[in-house]
Structures are given as C-alpha cells and as structure tokens.
Amino acid sequence: MTVVEADTEVPTAAPSRGGRRRAVPQSALNVVSILAGIGGWWALSASGLDIPSPPVVLSRGIDLIKDGTLGGDILASVRRVLAGFLLGVLAAVPVGFLMGWYPPVRALIEPWIQFFRTIPPLALIPLAIVLMGIEETPKIFVIFLASFLSCVIATLQGVVSVDRTLINAARVLGARDHTIFARVVIPASSPFILVGMRIGLGSSWATLVAAELIAAQQGLGYRMQSAQLYYDLPTIFVGLISIGVLGLIMDRLLLLAERRLTSWQETR
Amino acid sequence: MISLRNVRKTFPVPSAEFVALGGVDLEIGDNEFVTVVGPSGCGKTTLMNILAGLETPTSGQVLVDGAPVTGPGPDRGVIFQQYALFPWLTVRKNVEFGLREKGVPRAERTRIAEHFIELVGLERFADALPKTLSGGMKQRVAIARAYAVNPSILLMDEPFGAVDAMTRVRLQEQLLATWEQEKRTVLFITHDVDEAVFLANRVVVMAARPGRIDRIVDVRLPYPRTEQVRLSPEFAALRNRVWSAVHHQELVP
Ligand SMILES: Nc1ncnc2c1ncn2[C@@H]1O[C@H](COP(=O)(O)OP(=O)(O)OP(=O)(O)O)[C@@H](O)[C@H]1O
Ligand SMILES: [Mg+2]
C-alpha cells in the first residue's frame, strides 16, 4: 500500500538535552546560594546589627505554628489570594478573548483597562474600604483587580498574536468561526494566558499584604503589622519568610502547569 | 474544473493601488497537475489565496465546477509554505482535524487518518508532536491532512520551499506517487523551474508588474516520472524553455 520507501529522515533532536545536563550543578548552586544567604544573615545579626538571628526566627516560627497563629494567618491570606486571583483570571480570560476577537469590543474596553492599569490597585484600597466596608470584600476586590488587569492584557496579546496561517489552515479545512475559536485560538494563546496568570499571581500576592496591612483581623500582613507595634522583629521575619515561600510555591506550581500545558511549543 | 476569467486583484497602497494580478485567464481540467512559476512578487500566492477563497478578487470570475468561489471549502485543500500544522496536536490529530469539522464519526476518522499517514510514510510518527518532526516530514503531514478531507482540488504554495535539495527530490517523487494513487486536480506553486517541469502536465509561467500569465508550457512527459525522465534530453529541453521564460522576461517588455 505504501508508495514511499522506508523513512530515513531523522526527526530533529530535542533541543532541551543540553539544558538538562547542566541542571544538576545548577540546583546545587541554588542550594549553596541559599545557605550562603542564611550564613550572611547570621553573620550580620552576630555583628551587632539589630536583626534577629536565624535560630531566634526559627524558634519563633515554631512557637507560632504550635499555637496555631501561623496556620490561621496563612490560611486567611491564601484564601484571600486564591479567591481574588481565581476570580480575576476567570473574568480576564473571556474578556481578553472577546477583546482580541472582536475589534469593537476591544475599542470599548481597552481605554478602561489602560486607565486602571495606571492606578496601582493599592491606591484603590481607601475607596474600596469606604464602598465595601472592612470585611473580606474590599480585600478580595483589590486582589481581583490586580490579577484581572495583568491577565486580561496577556490574554488579549495571545489572541492578537495567533498565527494567521493557522487560522487560514483551519478555515480551508472547513472550520467555522466558533470551532476556530475553540480549536485554534484558545490553544494557540494558552502560553500567553499562563504567563499572564503567573504575573497576575505575583501582583495578587503583592496586593494582598498591603491590603491586610490596612484592615484585617487575621493574615500574614496583619500579623506583621501588629508585631511592628511591639517591636517584635522575629515575628516580622517569620511573616516575611512565609510570604516569600508561599509565593514561590504557588509560582512554581503554575510554572509546572505551564510547562505541562505548553510543552508542544517549538522553542522555550 | 477550475476557471479563472479575467481575474484582477489590486491592493490599496498609500499612493494609489497596487495591481497584484492584472487580468488572469486560466482553465485547469480535472485531475490535471499544473505548476506555476514566476519571479517573486508576481502574484502566485495571491492567485492561490483567491482560488482557496481566502481572498476575494477585485474583479473577474473564479469558478470551480461552474460555481463561483465565495469562501474556503473542503472541496479545495490548501498546503501552505509554512506547513501550518497545529503545533499542539499530534500528527494523527492534525490529519483528523478537517474530518472532525465534517462530522465524520470517530472510528471512520481514525481509519481515514491512518490511511493517509501511511500514504505519506509517517505511520511511525502518528503520535508525535510537530515540533519533533523535520521540515520535510511536517510538509508530508500537511499533505496528508489536506488529502484526508478528500478535496477534489489541492492548492500548494511552494510546499517544498524550505527543505534541502535532496529531501525536495524525494518529496517530489512521493507527491507524484501519492497523486497517481489518489488523482486530484493540483495547482502547485514553486520558485524552482526543475520542480515545475518535473511535476506538471502544464507549467504556467507568470510575470510581474502587473502579475499576469506570461505563457503556458505543455509538458508531454510520461508518468511515472522517474530519474530517467529527469535526466532525459526532453526534460532538459523543457526546463530550458521554462527557465528562459522565467529569467529573460524582464528583457522582453
Ligand atoms: N495584503 C497586501 N497588501 C498589499 N500588497 C500586497 C498584499 N498581499 C500581496 N501584496 C503584493 O502583491 C504582490 C504579489 O504578492 P504575492 O504574495 O502573491 O507574490 P508571490 O508571487 O507569491 O511572491 P513570492 O514568490 O515571493 O511568494 C507583491 O508585490 C506583494 O507586495
Ligand atoms: Mg508567495
């Protein structure tokens, strides 16, 4: 049946091989760097600078875990971030798609997005508190806004930069508008959306801490603020490290999802 | 049967308008293999896009089997120069894409896709992603994908432009072998005079400014086109005719 001779063409080698070989020493370097950083911190506190040493911070961390404070704060903060972030993404993806697909929609919405982008979400906190009270709503709202604004721009960019040839290829294969949308535009722009989600998560985190500094009864930002009143540096350090570590974990999780969902891309 | 009657295409440019095609007349019969050569910018891609229904002519008539072309349709398969495979789909899913759009049931889709993947010799790569394929293999996937929806016409825009000379010869032979098994009307655009003569029943030589048909050269060489045909004096004579038609046209106003 086959009319061609056996295939002698060799597929191009996967380009990531070299990177993987370097990966082991790189992660070792990462560990060395972290240890050196902690060592430097220790040395600074030992040299008389007014900061708590790592063991002091560690034992305060253990105390805070034991009495449940840290767990409660983390839970409160993560809940806010996730709620605001997810709502932001959920709103941004369809809006970004509509803007990218229908130029009039873009023309109607884009000025507002550009305008709100120039206002740091934190600057909206006073207004949000006045309008929405001091409960969860204003905090989640500003986080929502931060994540929405980063994600909507990325989605729009993704839709606009879909290769025309792929759309034409789908059209000549008989695809109509809605299937082109579902089977070409969405997958083609998914790398952009995932990058937008990562940026959005970063700004959600940044906004969260500030939102909690202003009005909260619980949460990592609130904990640091009240520790500041008592000059309680170890607790502030525990809060800072928790925020950093949690942000890093969430970012890595998204990165993992991104790698997995967009592994079909030619270059990375 | 394809008929182009006095097809003009102009593009608006800042100063005035640019005549990409200035009145093209062409008839292509069923199961003919027609190649189009011409200098860069003479409107080859524009001509193909018009036939594909991806662009509308400024004036003139484009008929396929007597009916005017109003948009893309599954009766006309297109193979783009840049492969245009969906990078997130495997070879198999790429080939099945058009079948899904047609509403072909799953089992039937699988069977048809398998047949055409085999026809272009890629059964070992059916579940590979495009990024793991070489340029020539990608182009064969594109050919299988176009064939799968069973178009009566195949439009190809410099499909082998981006592959090396040796692979190109193999792809040409494979394309002809596929075409002899599954006869279709083919319009094949190329820069390469040898390729144009080797594949075609007829070679359409185009000229630029404005884009138009300069002349049509009949190629009365037998199929299958073997290496012998390629090395024959008849082939050389035809190639020389087409070559000078393409390369000396600027000298003859
Ligand atoms: N959308 C457009 N707007 C303005 N000019 C265009 C447009 N598309 C094509 N042209 C012009 O029309 C002419 C013909 O273009 P076309 O792409 O059909 O040429 P071609 O023969 O396929 O060239 P090549 O061999 O380089 O692919 C070119 O000069 C090009 O600049
Ligand atoms: Mg072209």
Side-chain angles (χ1 to χ4, degrees):
Chain A
M1 175 78 249
T2 311
V3 289
V4 296
E5 67 231 87
D7 203 291
T8 50
E9 266 176 82
V10 181
T12 48
S16 63
R17 288 282 149 70
R20 194 166 294 162
R21 215 178 300 131
R22 275 200 308 275
V24 174
Q26 251 177 16
S27 61
L29 281 178
N30 289 349
V31 171
V32 167
S33 160
I34 291 168
L35 291 177
I38 294 174
W41 166 21
W42 206 326
L44 277 178
S45 75
S47 74
L49 197 71
D50 194 13
I51 55 171
S53 68
V56 173
V57 171
L58 186 68
S59 78
R60 172 59 51 86
I62 291 170
D63 289 347
L64 289 174
I65 290 171
K66 274 191 181 144
D67 68 7
T69 321
L70 189 61
D73 287 338
I74 286 178
L75 202 68
S77 291
V78 168
R79 252 210 329 254
R80 284 176 193 131
V81 166
L82 284 185
F85 167 68
L86 290 178
L87 286 174
V89 171
L90 242 54
V93 170
V95 171
F97 273 126
L98 287 173
M99 287 172 70
W101 201 238
Y102 299 106
V105 175
R106 178 175 180 173
L108 285 172
I109 298 181
E110 192 155 26
W112 292 102
I113 290 188
Q114 295 302 351
F115 176 69
F116 277 103
R117 249 158 62 96
T118 60
I119 305 175
L122 294 183
L124 292 170
I125 287 178
L127 178 67
I129 288 175
V130 170
L131 292 181
M132 303 176 190
I134 52 166
E135 297 298 309
E136 290 300 289
T137 320
K139 299 184 194 69
I140 291 177
F141 175 75
V142 290
I143 295 166
F144 159 83
L145 208 61
S147 102
F148 173 80
L149 290 173
S150 345
C151 203
V152 80
I153 298 288
T155 308
L156 168 65
Q157 217 107 67
V159 176
V160 170
S161 57
V162 174
D163 189 351
R164 290 290 326 167
T165 326
L166 289 184
I167 293 178
N168 282 341
R171 287 179 67 201
V172 299
L173 288 167
R176 266 153 303 184
D177 264 11
H178 61 279
T179 39
I180 290 177
F181 192 73
R183 299 191 59 201
V184 180
V185 177
I186 290 180
S189 44
S190 62
F192 287 82
I193 297 171
L194 283 158
V195 168
M197 282 172 70
R198 280 182 69 203
I199 299 170
L201 187 63
S203 28
S204 297
W205 243 160
T207 314
L208 163 93
V209 174
E212 287 183 343
L213 286 174
I214 292 173
Q217 288 77 45
Q218 215 183 12
L220 292 166
Y222 161 78
R223 192 65 54 205
M224 293 196 293
Q225 158 115 19
S226 55
Q228 174 205 332
L229 294 177
Y230 304 106
Y231 238 78
D232 179 1
L233 278 172
T235 301
I236 292 179
F237 267 66
V238 170
L240 283 176
I241 292 171
S242 307
I243 287 167
V245 170
L246 285 172
L248 200 66
I249 290 173
M250 289 199 198
D251 185 67
R252 290 294 118 154
L253 286 177
L254 260 185
L255 186 67
L256 214 69
E258 186 189 328
R259 288 254 161 89
R260 197 151 259 235
L261 289 173
T262 64
S263 59
W264 47 264
Q265 282 181 295
E266 290 271 352
T267 51
R268 48 171 337 119
Chain B
M1 175 83 169
I2 302 172
S3 330
L4 296 160
R5 301 207 186 123
N6 198 19
V7 170
R8 274 174 64 82
K9 178 71 181 178
T10 58
F11 289 108
V13 285
S15 54
E17 58 178 20
F18 179 85
V19 183
L21 289 177
V24 169
D25 285 290
L26 182 65
E27 300 252 313
I28 301 175
D30 286 344
N31 298 343
E32 232 191 315
F33 201 126
V34 170
T35 54
V36 179
V37 271
S40 192
C42 69
K44 303 185 292 292
T45 299
T46 307
L47 183 71
M48 191 202 74
N49 283 342
I50 288 173
L51 269 173
L54 293 170
E55 284 196 64
T56 47
T58 312
S59 66
Q61 266 192 315
V62 184
L63 304 173
V64 170
D65 294 332
V69 168
T70 54
D75 57 328
R76 283 153 288 136
V78 181
I79 290 153
F80 298 90
Q81 173 163 15
Q82 315 87 328
Y83 318 127
L85 298 181
F86 303 112
W88 52 87
L89 298 179
T90 61
V91 167
R92 188 191 305 280
K93 293 266 185 266
N94 263 285
V95 176
E96 283 183 19
F97 189 97
L99 297 169
R100 255 185 78 161
E101 296 309 312
K102 270 172 113 180
V104 177
R106 176 186 287 269
E108 182 77 354
R109 282 206 308 260
T110 312
R111 196 187 58 70
I112 297 174
E114 229 136 63
H115 169 71
F116 286 105
I117 290 170
E118 202 177 293
L119 197 68
V120 297
L122 286 175
E123 52 274 41
R124 275 167 48 220
F125 298 92
D127 295 306
L129 283 171
K131 71 167 181 180
T132 64
L133 304 180
S134 71
M137 290 158 83
K138 282 183 195 164
Q139 203 52 279
R140 276 144 64 193
V141 178
I143 291 170
R145 183 176 70 179
Y147 259 98
V149 285
N150 195 23
S152 54
I153 297 168
L154 283 173
L155 307 168
M156 308 192 173
D157 189 2
E158 302 191 36
F160 306 149
V163 299
D164 64 88
M166 262 170 56
T167 311
R168 182 182 263 250
V169 167
R170 289 243 327 277
L171 289 171
Q172 290 166 2
E173 284 164 5
Q174 284 176 2
L175 176 65
L176 279 187
T178 309
W179 175 72
E180 281 175 79
Q181 268 197 24
E182 308 257 354
K183 276 275 166 58
R184 299 287 189 276
T185 309
V186 180
L187 184 87
F188 185 107
I189 291 167
T190 177
H191 262 122
D192 181 337
V193 170
D194 274 47
E195 181 167 85
V197 174
F198 183 71
L199 296 173
N201 299 125
R202 281 194 296 159
V203 180
V204 174
V205 179
M206 288 183 69
R209 266 165 275 126
R212 66 206 129 96
I213 293 179
D214 179 75
R215 75 190 68 183
I216 295 179
V217 177
D218 283 321
V219 182
R220 296 210 179 79
L221 297 172
Y223 291 95
R225 303 259 164 105
T226 54
E227 209 177 302
Q228 263 170 345
V229 174
R230 204 191 277 276
L231 300 174
S232 68
E234 294 85 354
F235 181 85
L238 282 165
R239 191 201 41 214
N240 293 349
R241 267 178 69 197
V242 174
W243 175 275
S244 44
V246 173
H247 290 267
H248 296 270
Q249 58 185 221
E250 287 94 333
L251 305 180
V252 198

